[in-house]
Amino acid sequence: MTEGTASSATPELAPSEATIASAHQTAGPYWHLVDFPEWADTTRHFADALPDGAERITVSGTLRDGNGDLVTDAMVEIWHADPAGRYPDQNGDPTAFQGYGRCATDKGGRFRFVTLKPGPVPVGPHSQGNAMQAPHIALAVFARGLLQHLSTRLYFEGEALNAADPVLKAVPEARRGTLLAKPARPGEWTLDLRLQGEGETVWMAV
Amino acid sequence: MSEVVHGYRRPNEAHQPPLNSPAYGSTRARHPQQPLLELPHTLTETSSPIFTPARYPEVADLTVLENGAGHAMGERIIVAGRLTDEDGRPVRHAMVEVWQANAAGRYNHEGDQHDAPLDPNFRGMGRVFTDEDGWYRYLTIRPGAYPWRNHHNAWRPNHIHYSLFGQGFAQRMITQMYFPGDPLLPLDPIFNTVSDEAARNRLVSRFDLDITRPEHALGYRFDIVLRGREATPMEENHHD
Protein backbone atom coordinates (compact mmCIF):
# COMPACT_ATOMS: atom_id res chain seq x y z
CA MET A 1 0.00 0.00 0.00
CA THR A 2 1.37 3.34 -1.01
CA GLU A 3 -0.02 5.10 2.03
CA GLY A 4 0.99 2.45 4.53
CA THR A 5 -1.45 0.55 6.66
CA ALA A 6 -4.08 2.04 8.90
CA SER A 7 -2.90 4.75 11.18
CA SER A 8 -3.01 4.37 14.92
CA ALA A 9 -3.12 8.16 15.12
CA THR A 10 -6.75 8.18 14.03
CA PRO A 11 -9.14 8.47 16.97
CA GLU A 12 -11.39 5.64 18.12
CA LEU A 13 -14.98 5.48 16.96
CA ALA A 14 -17.47 7.35 19.07
CA PRO A 15 -19.71 4.66 20.57
CA SER A 16 -22.93 6.34 19.43
CA GLU A 17 -21.89 5.89 15.83
CA ALA A 18 -20.88 2.29 16.12
CA THR A 19 -24.21 0.70 16.88
CA ILE A 20 -26.43 0.92 13.81
CA ALA A 21 -25.71 -0.69 10.45
CA SER A 22 -24.85 1.71 7.64
CA ALA A 23 -27.44 2.35 4.94
CA HIS A 24 -27.23 0.59 1.62
CA GLN A 25 -27.14 2.63 -1.59
CA THR A 26 -27.52 1.57 -5.19
CA ALA A 27 -24.59 0.08 -7.11
CA GLY A 28 -25.65 2.36 -9.98
CA PRO A 29 -25.02 1.82 -13.68
CA TYR A 30 -21.20 2.00 -13.56
CA TRP A 31 -20.37 -0.81 -11.14
CA HIS A 32 -18.56 -2.63 -13.98
CA LEU A 33 -15.37 -0.95 -12.79
CA VAL A 34 -15.40 -3.82 -10.28
CA ASP A 35 -16.50 -6.45 -12.80
CA PHE A 36 -13.91 -9.16 -13.27
CA PRO A 37 -15.42 -11.64 -15.74
CA GLU A 38 -13.28 -14.52 -14.46
CA TRP A 39 -15.14 -14.32 -11.13
CA ALA A 40 -18.16 -15.88 -12.87
CA ASP A 41 -16.24 -19.18 -12.85
CA THR A 42 -15.79 -20.40 -9.28
CA THR A 43 -13.73 -23.35 -10.56
CA ARG A 44 -11.08 -21.11 -12.14
CA HIS A 45 -8.39 -22.06 -9.63
CA PHE A 46 -8.89 -25.79 -10.04
CA ALA A 47 -8.22 -26.52 -13.71
CA ASP A 48 -9.14 -30.18 -14.07
CA ALA A 49 -8.36 -31.20 -10.50
CA LEU A 50 -11.80 -30.70 -9.02
CA PRO A 51 -12.56 -31.70 -5.45
CA ASP A 52 -13.69 -35.33 -5.04
CA GLY A 53 -17.23 -35.98 -6.13
CA ALA A 54 -17.57 -32.58 -7.72
CA GLU A 55 -19.85 -31.98 -10.66
CA ARG A 56 -19.09 -28.89 -12.73
CA ILE A 57 -22.30 -27.14 -13.74
CA THR A 58 -23.43 -23.93 -15.39
CA VAL A 59 -26.12 -21.73 -13.90
CA SER A 60 -27.59 -19.16 -16.23
CA GLY A 61 -30.69 -17.12 -16.84
CA THR A 62 -32.09 -13.78 -17.81
CA LEU A 63 -33.14 -10.87 -15.65
CA ARG A 64 -36.21 -8.81 -16.51
CA ASP A 65 -37.89 -5.79 -14.96
CA GLY A 66 -41.54 -4.97 -14.34
CA ASN A 67 -42.09 -4.01 -17.97
CA GLY A 68 -40.68 -7.32 -19.13
CA ASP A 69 -37.59 -5.55 -20.41
CA LEU A 70 -34.18 -7.18 -20.10
CA VAL A 71 -32.00 -5.75 -17.34
CA THR A 72 -28.62 -5.31 -19.00
CA ASP A 73 -26.71 -3.43 -16.29
CA ALA A 74 -27.05 -5.70 -13.27
CA MET A 75 -24.48 -7.47 -11.15
CA VAL A 76 -25.48 -10.96 -10.04
CA GLU A 77 -23.63 -12.78 -7.28
CA ILE A 78 -23.83 -16.38 -6.15
CA TRP A 79 -22.86 -17.96 -2.87
CA HIS A 80 -23.20 -21.64 -2.13
CA ALA A 81 -21.71 -24.65 -0.37
CA ASP A 82 -19.22 -27.09 -1.85
CA PRO A 83 -20.25 -30.49 -3.24
CA ALA A 84 -20.15 -31.94 0.27
CA GLY A 85 -22.42 -29.20 1.60
CA ARG A 86 -19.65 -27.36 3.45
CA TYR A 87 -18.88 -23.68 3.68
CA PRO A 88 -15.32 -22.45 4.15
CA ASP A 89 -14.04 -21.93 7.66
CA GLN A 90 -13.01 -18.28 8.06
CA ASN A 91 -9.82 -19.51 9.70
CA GLY A 92 -9.34 -22.32 7.23
CA ASP A 93 -7.58 -22.82 3.93
CA PRO A 94 -8.23 -19.79 1.69
CA THR A 95 -7.37 -21.82 -1.39
CA ALA A 96 -10.13 -24.39 -0.81
CA PHE A 97 -13.11 -24.26 -3.15
CA GLN A 98 -15.50 -21.37 -2.52
CA GLY A 99 -18.88 -21.06 -4.13
CA TYR A 100 -18.70 -17.29 -4.60
CA GLY A 101 -19.15 -15.75 -8.03
CA ARG A 102 -19.97 -12.42 -9.64
CA CYS A 103 -21.34 -11.90 -13.14
CA ALA A 104 -22.61 -8.92 -15.14
CA THR A 105 -25.81 -9.33 -17.10
CA ASP A 106 -25.02 -8.89 -20.78
CA LYS A 107 -26.87 -7.10 -23.57
CA GLY A 108 -29.35 -9.95 -23.56
CA GLY A 109 -29.99 -9.52 -19.83
CA ARG A 110 -28.23 -12.84 -19.29
CA PHE A 111 -25.95 -14.03 -16.53
CA ARG A 112 -23.96 -17.26 -16.61
CA PHE A 113 -21.86 -18.91 -13.93
CA VAL A 114 -19.61 -21.95 -14.02
CA THR A 115 -19.48 -23.61 -10.63
CA LEU A 116 -19.74 -26.89 -8.73
CA LYS A 117 -23.08 -28.34 -7.80
CA PRO A 118 -23.55 -27.80 -4.06
CA GLY A 119 -24.46 -30.63 -1.74
CA PRO A 120 -27.23 -30.60 0.87
CA VAL A 121 -26.48 -27.99 3.51
CA PRO A 122 -27.08 -28.20 7.25
CA VAL A 123 -29.35 -25.51 8.69
CA GLY A 124 -26.88 -24.79 11.48
CA PRO A 125 -23.37 -25.79 12.45
CA HIS A 126 -24.48 -28.94 14.30
CA SER A 127 -27.49 -30.01 12.27
CA GLN A 128 -28.20 -33.67 11.71
CA GLY A 129 -30.77 -35.82 9.96
CA ASN A 130 -33.73 -33.89 8.67
CA ALA A 131 -32.17 -30.54 9.53
CA MET A 132 -30.63 -30.59 6.07
CA GLN A 133 -31.51 -28.02 3.45
CA ALA A 134 -31.85 -29.04 -0.16
CA PRO A 135 -28.89 -28.05 -2.37
CA HIS A 136 -29.27 -24.37 -3.17
CA ILE A 137 -27.45 -21.26 -4.32
CA ALA A 138 -27.93 -17.85 -2.69
CA LEU A 139 -28.41 -15.18 -5.37
CA ALA A 140 -27.88 -11.46 -4.85
CA VAL A 141 -28.84 -8.92 -7.52
CA PHE A 142 -27.38 -5.40 -7.52
CA ALA A 143 -28.29 -2.74 -10.09
CA ARG A 144 -29.23 0.81 -10.88
CA GLY A 145 -32.69 1.27 -9.36
CA LEU A 146 -32.02 -1.23 -6.56
CA LEU A 147 -31.35 0.79 -3.44
CA GLN A 148 -30.56 -2.43 -1.62
CA HIS A 149 -29.60 -5.63 -3.38
CA LEU A 150 -32.29 -8.23 -3.88
CA SER A 151 -31.77 -11.70 -2.49
CA THR A 152 -33.24 -15.05 -3.35
CA ARG A 153 -32.27 -18.70 -3.63
CA LEU A 154 -31.93 -21.02 -6.56
CA TYR A 155 -32.93 -24.65 -6.03
CA PHE A 156 -32.48 -27.56 -8.43
CA GLU A 157 -35.63 -29.11 -9.88
CA GLY A 158 -35.98 -32.79 -9.11
CA GLU A 159 -33.91 -32.87 -5.91
CA ALA A 160 -35.49 -35.26 -3.42
CA LEU A 161 -34.70 -32.91 -0.53
CA ASN A 162 -36.70 -30.06 -2.09
CA ALA A 163 -39.93 -31.42 -0.64
CA ALA A 164 -38.63 -31.04 2.93
CA ASP A 165 -36.62 -27.84 2.50
CA PRO A 166 -37.73 -25.30 5.12
CA VAL A 167 -37.36 -22.29 2.82
CA LEU A 168 -39.07 -23.83 -0.19
CA LYS A 169 -41.91 -25.00 2.01
CA ALA A 170 -42.47 -21.43 3.19
CA VAL A 171 -43.05 -20.30 -0.40
CA PRO A 172 -46.63 -20.55 -1.70
CA GLU A 173 -46.76 -23.44 -4.12
CA ALA A 174 -47.91 -21.25 -7.00
CA ARG A 175 -44.70 -19.20 -6.78
CA ARG A 176 -42.25 -21.98 -5.94
CA GLY A 177 -41.35 -22.41 -9.59
CA THR A 178 -39.62 -19.03 -9.58
CA LEU A 179 -36.89 -20.61 -7.43
CA LEU A 180 -36.48 -23.93 -9.26
CA ALA A 181 -33.76 -24.09 -11.89
CA LYS A 182 -34.37 -26.52 -14.74
CA PRO A 183 -31.73 -28.46 -16.68
CA ALA A 184 -31.56 -27.22 -20.28
CA ARG A 185 -29.11 -30.10 -20.80
CA PRO A 186 -27.41 -32.29 -18.21
CA GLY A 187 -25.37 -30.00 -15.95
CA GLU A 188 -26.72 -26.80 -17.54
CA TRP A 189 -29.20 -25.26 -15.15
CA THR A 190 -31.29 -22.25 -16.05
CA LEU A 191 -33.44 -19.94 -13.99
CA ASP A 192 -34.89 -16.69 -15.23
CA LEU A 193 -35.37 -13.89 -12.72
CA ARG A 194 -38.05 -11.25 -12.72
CA LEU A 195 -37.66 -8.15 -10.55
CA GLN A 196 -41.32 -7.17 -10.67
CA GLY A 197 -44.70 -8.08 -12.13
CA GLU A 198 -45.91 -11.24 -13.81
CA GLY A 199 -43.90 -14.22 -12.61
CA GLU A 200 -42.05 -12.05 -10.10
CA THR A 201 -39.27 -13.99 -8.42
CA VAL A 202 -39.79 -14.72 -4.76
CA TRP A 203 -37.35 -12.19 -3.30
CA MET A 204 -36.29 -12.68 0.29
CA ALA A 205 -35.62 -10.44 3.25
CA VAL A 206 -32.30 -11.79 4.44
CA MET B 1 -33.63 -32.08 18.68
CA SER B 2 -33.20 -28.36 18.89
CA GLU B 3 -30.18 -26.25 18.20
CA VAL B 4 -29.39 -22.64 17.50
CA VAL B 5 -28.15 -20.51 14.64
CA HIS B 6 -26.73 -17.11 15.44
CA GLY B 7 -28.51 -15.04 12.82
CA TYR B 8 -28.02 -11.35 12.06
CA ARG B 9 -30.16 -8.51 13.36
CA ARG B 10 -32.97 -7.40 11.11
CA PRO B 11 -32.58 -3.88 9.73
CA ASN B 12 -34.43 -0.86 11.03
CA GLU B 13 -36.49 0.34 8.06
CA ALA B 14 -35.94 4.05 8.74
CA HIS B 15 -32.19 3.43 8.51
CA GLN B 16 -32.31 1.72 5.12
CA PRO B 17 -33.63 2.95 1.77
CA PRO B 18 -36.95 1.52 0.55
CA LEU B 19 -36.88 -0.51 -2.64
CA ASN B 20 -39.74 1.55 -4.05
CA SER B 21 -38.67 5.17 -4.05
CA PRO B 22 -40.62 7.21 -6.66
CA ALA B 23 -38.22 10.18 -6.52
CA TYR B 24 -35.52 7.84 -7.85
CA GLY B 25 -37.08 6.93 -11.19
CA SER B 26 -35.10 3.75 -11.82
CA THR B 27 -36.81 2.03 -8.88
CA ARG B 28 -40.17 2.20 -10.68
CA ALA B 29 -39.93 -0.98 -12.75
CA ARG B 30 -37.28 -2.63 -10.59
CA HIS B 31 -38.78 -2.92 -7.13
CA PRO B 32 -40.59 -6.13 -6.20
CA GLN B 33 -44.32 -5.69 -5.69
CA GLN B 34 -44.80 -8.88 -3.72
CA PRO B 35 -43.84 -8.81 -0.06
CA LEU B 36 -40.36 -10.21 0.59
CA LEU B 37 -40.20 -13.65 2.13
CA GLU B 38 -38.48 -13.44 5.50
CA LEU B 39 -35.57 -15.84 5.26
CA PRO B 40 -34.38 -17.51 8.46
CA HIS B 41 -30.60 -17.35 8.70
CA THR B 42 -28.86 -20.65 8.09
CA LEU B 43 -25.24 -21.52 7.41
CA THR B 44 -25.72 -20.08 3.91
CA GLU B 45 -26.35 -16.63 5.39
CA THR B 46 -23.91 -16.83 8.31
CA SER B 47 -20.92 -17.97 6.27
CA SER B 48 -18.97 -15.92 3.76
CA PRO B 49 -16.31 -16.28 1.12
CA ILE B 50 -12.71 -15.76 2.23
CA PHE B 51 -10.92 -13.09 0.24
CA THR B 52 -7.16 -12.77 0.46
CA PRO B 53 -4.81 -10.27 -1.18
CA ALA B 54 -3.01 -13.26 -2.73
CA ARG B 55 -6.03 -14.00 -4.90
CA TYR B 56 -7.59 -10.54 -4.90
CA PRO B 57 -4.61 -8.18 -5.17
CA GLU B 58 -4.82 -4.83 -3.44
CA VAL B 59 -5.18 -1.58 -5.36
CA ALA B 60 -4.66 1.02 -2.62
CA ASP B 61 -3.60 3.86 -4.90
CA LEU B 62 -6.11 4.86 -7.57
CA THR B 63 -4.03 7.82 -8.71
CA VAL B 64 -1.43 5.86 -10.67
CA LEU B 65 -1.70 3.05 -13.17
CA GLU B 66 -0.12 -0.33 -12.59
CA ASN B 67 2.93 0.62 -14.62
CA GLY B 68 3.37 3.78 -12.55
CA ALA B 69 3.41 6.03 -15.60
CA GLY B 70 1.54 9.30 -15.17
CA HIS B 71 -0.58 10.65 -12.35
CA ALA B 72 -4.31 11.22 -12.28
CA MET B 73 -5.55 14.80 -12.46
CA GLY B 74 -7.51 16.33 -9.61
CA GLU B 75 -7.41 16.83 -5.87
CA ARG B 76 -5.56 13.92 -4.27
CA ILE B 77 -7.28 12.61 -1.12
CA ILE B 78 -6.72 9.86 1.41
CA VAL B 79 -9.81 8.03 2.55
CA ALA B 80 -9.55 5.95 5.72
CA GLY B 81 -12.02 4.48 8.14
CA ARG B 82 -13.05 1.59 10.22
CA LEU B 83 -15.30 -1.34 9.41
CA THR B 84 -17.16 -2.61 12.47
CA ASP B 85 -20.35 -4.48 13.21
CA GLU B 86 -23.33 -3.27 15.22
CA ASP B 87 -21.65 -4.44 18.40
CA GLY B 88 -18.66 -2.22 17.67
CA ARG B 89 -16.42 -5.16 16.89
CA PRO B 90 -13.90 -4.70 14.10
CA VAL B 91 -14.55 -6.64 10.91
CA ARG B 92 -11.07 -8.02 10.28
CA HIS B 93 -9.43 -8.83 6.96
CA ALA B 94 -12.54 -7.80 5.04
CA MET B 95 -12.32 -6.93 1.38
CA VAL B 96 -13.36 -3.35 0.58
CA GLU B 97 -13.93 -2.50 -3.08
CA VAL B 98 -14.42 1.07 -4.25
CA TRP B 99 -15.18 2.69 -7.61
CA GLN B 100 -15.85 6.23 -8.64
CA ALA B 101 -15.93 8.96 -11.29
CA ASN B 102 -12.76 10.90 -12.03
CA ALA B 103 -12.14 14.52 -10.99
CA ALA B 104 -14.15 15.74 -13.97
CA GLY B 105 -17.18 13.66 -13.03
CA ARG B 106 -16.71 10.96 -15.66
CA TYR B 107 -16.61 7.21 -15.18
CA ASN B 108 -14.29 5.15 -17.32
CA HIS B 109 -17.32 3.18 -18.52
CA GLU B 110 -18.86 2.83 -21.96
CA GLY B 111 -22.28 3.68 -20.56
CA ASP B 112 -21.15 7.07 -19.26
CA GLN B 113 -21.76 9.58 -22.04
CA HIS B 114 -21.25 12.71 -19.94
CA ASP B 115 -19.33 15.31 -21.93
CA ALA B 116 -16.39 15.51 -19.53
CA PRO B 117 -12.84 14.30 -20.16
CA LEU B 118 -11.63 10.83 -19.31
CA ASP B 119 -8.36 10.67 -17.41
CA PRO B 120 -6.11 7.94 -18.83
CA ASN B 121 -4.09 7.90 -15.60
CA PHE B 122 -6.98 7.37 -13.22
CA ARG B 123 -7.79 3.79 -12.25
CA GLY B 124 -11.35 4.42 -11.12
CA MET B 125 -11.43 1.36 -8.87
CA GLY B 126 -9.64 0.20 -5.74
CA ARG B 127 -9.50 -2.84 -3.50
CA VAL B 128 -8.12 -2.90 0.03
CA PHE B 129 -8.41 -5.13 3.08
CA THR B 130 -9.15 -4.16 6.66
CA ASP B 131 -6.50 -4.82 9.27
CA GLU B 132 -6.81 -6.46 12.71
CA ASP B 133 -8.74 -3.46 14.02
CA GLY B 134 -11.00 -3.06 11.00
CA TRP B 135 -9.12 -0.12 9.50
CA TYR B 136 -8.84 0.43 5.76
CA ARG B 137 -7.18 3.19 3.75
CA TYR B 138 -6.60 4.19 0.14
CA LEU B 139 -5.37 7.10 -1.93
CA THR B 140 -7.55 8.54 -4.67
CA ILE B 141 -8.78 11.68 -6.42
CA ARG B 142 -11.79 13.58 -5.18
CA PRO B 143 -14.57 12.60 -7.61
CA GLY B 144 -16.48 15.26 -9.53
CA ALA B 145 -20.23 15.75 -9.65
CA TYR B 146 -22.00 14.63 -12.81
CA PRO B 147 -25.42 15.06 -14.39
CA TRP B 148 -27.93 12.26 -14.66
CA ARG B 149 -31.35 12.09 -16.20
CA ASN B 150 -33.50 11.36 -13.19
CA HIS B 151 -35.20 14.77 -13.38
CA HIS B 152 -34.55 18.20 -14.86
CA ASN B 153 -31.06 19.51 -14.00
CA ALA B 154 -30.24 16.50 -11.83
CA TRP B 155 -26.65 16.16 -10.60
CA ARG B 156 -25.19 13.45 -8.41
CA PRO B 157 -23.23 14.76 -5.44
CA ASN B 158 -19.58 13.72 -5.22
CA HIS B 159 -19.49 10.10 -4.10
CA ILE B 160 -17.44 6.94 -3.98
CA HIS B 161 -19.14 3.56 -4.29
CA TYR B 162 -18.27 0.90 -1.70
CA SER B 163 -18.76 -2.86 -1.88
CA LEU B 164 -18.30 -4.76 1.38
CA PHE B 165 -18.18 -8.31 2.62
CA GLY B 166 -18.38 -9.35 6.24
CA GLN B 167 -18.20 -12.75 7.87
CA GLY B 168 -21.68 -13.79 6.78
CA PHE B 169 -23.26 -13.34 3.37
CA ALA B 170 -26.18 -11.66 5.19
CA GLN B 171 -23.76 -8.79 5.89
CA ARG B 172 -23.04 -8.21 2.20
CA MET B 173 -23.67 -4.61 1.24
CA ILE B 174 -23.02 -1.92 -1.35
CA THR B 175 -23.21 1.72 -0.35
CA GLN B 176 -21.89 5.18 -1.26
CA MET B 177 -19.65 7.60 0.60
CA TYR B 178 -20.44 11.29 0.25
CA PHE B 179 -18.47 14.45 1.08
CA PRO B 180 -19.22 17.00 3.81
CA GLY B 181 -20.80 20.28 2.79
CA ASP B 182 -21.78 19.15 -0.69
CA PRO B 183 -24.61 21.49 -1.83
CA LEU B 184 -26.07 18.68 -3.95
CA LEU B 185 -26.79 16.41 -1.00
CA PRO B 186 -30.17 17.94 -0.05
CA LEU B 187 -31.22 17.64 -3.70
CA ASP B 188 -30.12 14.06 -4.33
CA PRO B 189 -32.95 11.50 -4.50
CA ILE B 190 -30.60 8.57 -3.88
CA PHE B 191 -28.99 9.99 -0.73
CA ASN B 192 -32.40 11.11 0.53
CA THR B 193 -34.00 7.68 0.19
CA VAL B 194 -32.72 7.04 3.71
CA SER B 195 -35.45 8.67 5.79
CA ASP B 196 -33.61 8.81 9.11
CA GLU B 197 -31.43 11.92 9.12
CA ALA B 198 -28.72 10.51 11.36
CA ALA B 199 -28.51 7.32 9.31
CA ARG B 200 -28.28 9.40 6.14
CA ASN B 201 -25.53 11.55 7.57
CA ARG B 202 -23.49 8.51 8.48
CA LEU B 203 -22.96 8.12 4.72
CA VAL B 204 -21.18 11.49 4.69
CA SER B 205 -17.45 11.31 5.30
CA ARG B 206 -15.72 13.83 7.59
CA PHE B 207 -12.67 15.89 6.85
CA ASP B 208 -9.94 14.61 9.17
CA LEU B 209 -6.69 16.44 9.81
CA ASP B 210 -5.17 13.33 11.39
CA ILE B 211 -5.63 11.41 8.15
CA THR B 212 -4.42 14.39 6.11
CA ARG B 213 -0.76 14.07 5.09
CA PRO B 214 1.26 17.28 5.07
CA GLU B 215 2.36 18.44 1.63
CA HIS B 216 0.51 15.51 0.08
CA ALA B 217 -3.25 15.02 0.41
CA LEU B 218 -6.34 15.90 2.42
CA GLY B 219 -7.79 13.11 4.53
CA TYR B 220 -11.39 11.97 4.87
CA ARG B 221 -12.74 9.57 7.46
CA PHE B 222 -15.50 7.15 6.51
CA ASP B 223 -16.60 4.45 8.95
CA ILE B 224 -18.94 1.67 7.94
CA VAL B 225 -21.04 -0.54 10.20
CA LEU B 226 -22.17 -3.99 9.08
CA ARG B 227 -25.04 -5.87 10.70
CA GLY B 228 -24.36 -7.50 14.04
CA ARG B 229 -25.46 -10.85 15.36
CA GLU B 230 -28.78 -11.37 17.07
CA ALA B 231 -28.48 -11.14 20.82
CA THR B 232 -30.74 -14.16 21.17
CA PRO B 233 -30.03 -17.07 18.87
CA MET B 234 -32.89 -18.28 16.72
CA GLU B 235 -34.28 -21.74 17.34
CA GLU B 236 -33.88 -23.94 14.34
CA ASN B 237 -37.22 -25.15 13.15
CA HIS B 238 -36.96 -28.71 11.90
CA HIS B 239 -39.69 -30.76 13.44
CA ASP B 240 -40.72 -32.30 10.16
Side-chain angles (χ1 to χ4, degrees):
Chain A
M1 262 169 91
T2 307
E3 289 309 306
T5 50
S7 161
S8 57
T10 316
E12 282 296 298
L13 279 179
S16 61
E17 298 195 27
T19 52
I20 304 169
S22 303
H24 292 234
Q25 295 275 270
T26 181
Y30 307 130
W31 70 269
H32 302 79
L33 291 166
V34 292
D35 178 30
F36 310 98
E38 66 273 19
W39 291 18
D41 180 356
T42 68
T43 69
R44 65 192 181 277
H45 299 297
F46 292 87
D48 294 321
L50 295 179
D52 283 346
E55 180 196 356
R56 191 183 255 121
I57 61 170
T58 63
V59 172
S60 65
T62 57
L63 179 65
R64 288 179 188 274
D65 70 10
N67 300 322
D69 293 332
L70 295 164
V71 175
T72 59
D73 58 4
M75 161 172 146
V76 180
E77 289 189 341
I78 58 170
W79 173 236
H80 65 82
D82 74 8
R86 291 171 308 218
Y87 283 102
D89 175 353
Q90 285 296 318
N91 303 313
D93 175 10
T95 66
F97 172 79
Q98 302 194 66
Y100 167 75
R102 176 183 292 175
C103 183
T105 56
D106 64 15
K107 288 183 167 51
R110 191 160 177 271
F111 59 89
R112 180 177 182 274
F113 293 94
V114 176
T115 192
L116 301 181
K117 186 148 186 276
V121 179
V123 171
H126 311 293
S127 298
Q128 293 172 1
N130 60 5
M132 297 301 278
Q133 306 180 81
H136 64 272
I137 293 177
L139 288 173
V141 179
F142 303 78
R144 169 179 65 85
L146 296 183
L147 285 157
Q148 303 183 41
H149 61 276
L150 293 179
S151 301
T152 189
R153 282 185 172 191
L154 175 152
Y155 286 85
F156 298 89
E157 189 181 68
E159 282 285 339
L161 282 168
N162 285 348
D165 184 85
V167 176
L168 269 184
K169 282 199 307 185
V171 176
E173 200 169 349
R175 300 186 65 206
R176 225 169 271 168
T178 70
L179 307 183
L180 289 172
K182 293 178 165 53
R185 275 179 290 279
E188 297 182 18
W189 295 90
T190 63
L191 181 68
D192 292 335
L193 305 175
R194 180 83 185 233
L195 296 176
Q196 182 193 82
E198 192 184 336
E200 184 175 305
T201 298
V202 174
W203 299 106
M204 301 176 184
V206 175
Chain B
M1 191 188 101
S2 168
E3 60 176 303
V4 293
V5 178
H6 267 284
Y8 288 91
R9 283 180 222 162
R10 299 286 165 173
N12 178 329
E13 283 186 14
H15 293 252
Q16 295 294 339
L19 290 166
N20 179 17
S21 181
Y24 174 26
S26 291
T27 66
R28 195 171 304 125
R30 293 189 166 190
H31 72 273
Q33 290 169 327
Q34 302 287 333
L36 303 187
L37 179 79
E38 182 131 332
L39 185 71
H41 292 172
T42 72
L43 275 182
T44 304
E45 290 71 40
T46 61
S47 58
S48 182
I50 304 168
F51 298 100
T52 59
R55 286 209 164 153
Y56 299 85
E58 284 204 306
V59 178
D61 184 351
L62 286 71
T63 71
V64 288
L65 299 183
E66 241 165 323
N67 60 18
H71 289 266
M73 295 289 289
E75 181 189 345
R76 203 159 46 208
I77 59 171
I78 298 163
V79 182
R82 205 169 168 226
L83 186 64
T84 57
D85 67 17
E86 288 174 298
D87 299 310
R89 286 186 293 236
V91 183
R92 300 187 168 99
H93 311 146
M95 185 167 77
V96 178
E97 297 172 277
V98 295
W99 71 98
Q100 62 170 89
N102 68 19
R106 177 86 185 264
Y107 286 89
N108 183 14
H109 187 285
E110 64 175 17
D112 186 354
Q113 297 300 313
H114 176 35
D115 177 24
L118 282 169
D119 182 345
N121 294 319
F122 183 57
R123 287 185 81 133
M125 67 72 66
R127 182 191 297 138
V128 292
F129 289 81
T130 60
D131 70 10
E132 289 294 325
D133 291 317
W135 288 99
Y136 73 89
R137 171 179 294 243
Y138 59 92
L139 179 71
T140 187
I141 294 293
R142 186 179 169 118
Y146 58 85
W148 60 313
R149 295 193 174 132
N150 189 67
H151 55 272
H152 174 67
N153 211 5
W155 294 77
R156 287 303 325 278
N158 302 343
H159 64 277
I160 298 177
H161 294 269
Y162 274 69
S163 167
L164 304 146
F165 294 85
Q167 284 147 356
F169 209 59
Q171 291 178 300
R172 178 88 180 90
M173 77 174 301
I174 280 182
T175 189
Q176 298 181 26
M177 174 194 119
Y178 299 95
F179 287 83
D182 191 328
L184 293 168
L185 283 175
L187 307 175
D188 182 51
I190 294 178
F191 176 65
N192 287 292
T193 52
V194 181
S195 63
D196 183 87
E197 188 182 2
R200 204 161 59 233
N201 288 334
R202 280 195 295 275
L203 298 180
V204 181
S205 58
R206 300 194 311 259
F207 170 69
D208 191 321
L209 197 59
D210 290 326
I211 295 169
T212 299
R213 254 184 69 186
E215 320 301 327
H216 183 63
L218 294 185
Y220 287 87
R221 169 85 180 265
F222 185 57
D223 296 331
I224 305 156
V225 181
L226 302 183
R227 298 164 74 177
R229 297 274 186 165
E230 286 280 8
T232 313
M234 301 188 308
E235 288 287 313
E236 278 186 31
N237 179 14
H238 50 79
H239 302 297
D240 37 35

